């Protein structure tokens, strides 16, 4: 129970801290999807494009901290695919 609750709680706490900061950086650097530029957009306001960066970085952090070194070597393919995506 503790082996699943601890990584989940760490990922939750990290996402609550990191995601608002990433959103502020995206708005500050204007890395947003602006619906006024195209007619086909369905959202009304600008939407930040950096959400995947926060999710992947938190996934990488938690999986590196709570995975054994033998299974982490097999997980290199997952990390490489996530970086490419």
């Amino acid at each position: 129970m503790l082996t699943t609750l601890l990584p989940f709680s760490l990922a939750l706490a990290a996402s609550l801290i990191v995601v608002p900061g990433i959103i502020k950086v995206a708005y500050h650097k204007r890395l947003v999807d602006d619906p006024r530029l195209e007619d086909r957009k369905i959202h009304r306001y600008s939407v930040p494009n950096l959400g995947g960066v926060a999710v992947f970085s938190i996934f990488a952090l938690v999986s590196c901290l709570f995975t054994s070194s033998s299974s982490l070597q097999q997980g290199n393919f997952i990390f490489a695919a996530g970086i490419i995506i």
Side-chain angles (χ1 to χ4, degrees), residues 17-85:
I17 294 169
V18 171
V19 170
I22 293 284
I23 290 172
K24 286 180 186 177
V25 167
Y27 279 121
H28 181 69
K29 298 289 185 179
R30 297 180 193 218
L31 298 171
V32 295
D33 187 19
D34 194 5
R36 294 175 288 171
L37 299 177
E38 293 183 28
D39 294 333
R40 299 185 306 164
K41 303 289 181 181
I42 59 174
H43 50 271
R44 295 182 181 171
Y45 305 106
S46 298
V47 178
N49 289 332
L50 294 178
V53 173
V55 170
F56 180 72
S57 62
I58 292 169
F59 167 74
L61 173 75
V62 171
S63 62
C64 285
L65 288 176
F66 291 100
T67 305
S68 65
S69 61
S70 62
S71 62
L72 189 60
Q73 292 173 353
Q74 297 169 350
N76 286 338
F77 298 112
I78 295 173
F79 287 126
I83 289 171
I84 290 171
I85 289 175

